Amino acid sequence: MTKIRGMHQVTHNFKAVLITTACLLFSSSAMAETNNQLTDAEKQAGWQLLFDGKQASQWRNYQQKTLSEQWQVIDDTLTLTGKGGGDIITQTPYENFELKLDWRISEAGNSGIFIRVDEKGKYVYSRAPEIQILDNLKHSDRKDPTHRSGSLYDMIASPDSSHKLAGEWNSVRIRVNEGHLEVWQNQVKTTDIVMGSDRWNGLVANSKFATWQGFGEQANGYIGLQDHGDVVSFRNIKIKEL
């Protein structure tokens, strides 16, 4: 009887493993089918896709008309596959908007999301504020709290509760309305500030951008994604103009 009960237990456990595996596969498949799409509610609210999971026609390299081959569509993601792809920006500039996207960084990786990018500077970051993307455990930039993921780079540090490990998907929401900048990472608010306010100007003055002419002063601009030399992936990139 002991052996029979043991066999029944093994069979039961094996079935449980099969069911769990099937559920995980189904869940992953269902998630893939819903990525890079707009819900009916989003469509009615005026959201637009900046990436549909199939092609990246709404993006181009900074100060260029085309997109480099290092930026590729892989498994429904827009992925920088290696160093040299260059920073990229949207085809369209935005002033008041809400942006949503998911990002995943490689081990010890670094990247960023830029807002109000113009093309007057030498680099995408010359005048554009950045929301940081980082492996907070293994990249050397982790030593400065304002350089960790979800932070308004070199200005406002994100809470630890907003952080995830490298290789995991993170969700970011950025809202800019009449200069009021709000940022959420993984549903945790990381930034709430009015651009051009006394508080903003004080933070800029105490940052690396203190002497960067025109930094953060433009009223509108492109959305940018950074090539920091590390593999990084994006998906579910959506925007709504306000």
Side-chain angles (χ1 to χ4, degrees), residues 42 47 97-103 113 115 131-133 149-152 162 170-177 180-192 223 235-240 242:
E42 287 175 329
W47 286 90
F97 63 88
E98 189 164 344
L99 173 73
K100 296 190 293 188
L101 60 78
D102 299 335
W103 62 265
I113 307 161
I115 59 171
I131 307 305
Q132 175 76 314
I133 291 174
S149 69
S151 297
L152 178 59
S162 70
N170 296 259
S171 64
V172 166
R173 180 159 66 102
I174 302 171
R175 181 182 175 88
V176 180
N177 193 15
H180 184 192
L181 170 61
E182 297 174 278
V183 181
W184 294 260
Q185 180 170 265
N186 299 319
Q187 290 73 56
V188 177
K189 198 167 206 177
T190 64
T191 294
D192 190 340
I223 308 299
R235 69 183 184 190
N236 296 323
I237 313 173
K238 308 174 183 182
I239 198 164
K240 178 176 71 171
L242 303 176

Side-chain angles (χ1 to χ4, degrees), residues 7-204:
M7 290 176 64
H8 286 170
Q9 185 63 40
V10 170
T11 302
H12 175 77
N13 291 342
F14 180 68
K15 289 181 178 179
V17 170
L18 287 178
I19 293 172
T20 301
T21 302
C23 288
L24 288 172
L25 290 173
F26 177 79
S27 176
S28 298
S29 176
M31 181 64 73
E33 291 177 358
T34 58
N35 282 328
N36 307 308
Q37 296 184 29
L38 296 176
T39 65
D40 290 339
E42 287 175 329
K43 292 176 182 177
Q44 293 176 4
W47 286 90
Q48 296 180 325
L49 285 175
L50 290 178
F51 175 64
D52 65 1
K54 299 176 182 178
Q55 48 80 35
S57 61
Q58 298 195 58
W59 297 87
R60 62 181 175 86
N61 277 88
Y62 182 68
Q63 297 181 339
Q64 303 292 326
K65 294 182 179 180
T66 58
L67 189 67
S68 68
E69 62 182 11
Q70 286 94 335
W71 285 94
Q72 297 182 14
V73 177
I74 302 175
D75 295 332
D76 299 321
T77 72
L78 177 59
T79 295
L80 174 64
T81 58
K83 186 176 181 180
D87 304 313
I88 63 174
I89 60 174
T90 52
Q91 299 281 6
T92 304
Y94 301 92
E95 182 174 357
N96 299 315
F97 63 88
E98 189 164 344
L99 173 73
K100 296 190 293 188
L101 60 78
D102 299 335
W103 62 265
R104 182 178 63 192
I105 192 66
S106 54
E107 186 174 311
N110 187 335
S111 185
I113 307 161
F114 298 97
I115 59 171
R116 292 190 170 181
V117 177
D118 65 21
E119 296 182 273
K120 296 178 180 178
K122 183 176 181 180
Y123 305 106
V124 70
Y125 53 78
S126 293
R127 294 157 57 92
E130 175 187 0
I131 307 305
Q132 175 76 314
I133 291 174
L134 197 79
D135 177 352
N136 297 315
L137 293 182
K138 294 190 176 181
H139 196 282
S140 59
D141 228 11
R142 71 187 185 280
K143 296 175 183 177
D144 186 331
T146 65
H147 293 186
R148 295 171 190 162
S149 69
S151 297
L152 178 59
Y153 183 77
D154 214 51
M155 295 173 65
I156 298 177
S158 61
D160 291 346
S161 57
S162 70
H163 300 164
K164 289 187 177 183
L165 298 175
E168 296 184 356
W169 282 105
N170 296 259
S171 64
V172 166
R173 180 159 66 102
I174 302 171
R175 181 182 175 88
V176 180
N177 193 15
E178 302 298 333
H180 184 192
L181 170 61
E182 297 174 278
V183 181
W184 294 260
Q185 180 170 265
N186 299 319
Q187 290 73 56
V188 177
K189 198 167 206 177
T190 64
T191 294
D192 190 340
I193 193 169
V194 176
M195 301 172 72
S197 65
D198 290 343
R199 180 180 173 225
W200 172 273
N201 292 335
L203 289 171
V204 171

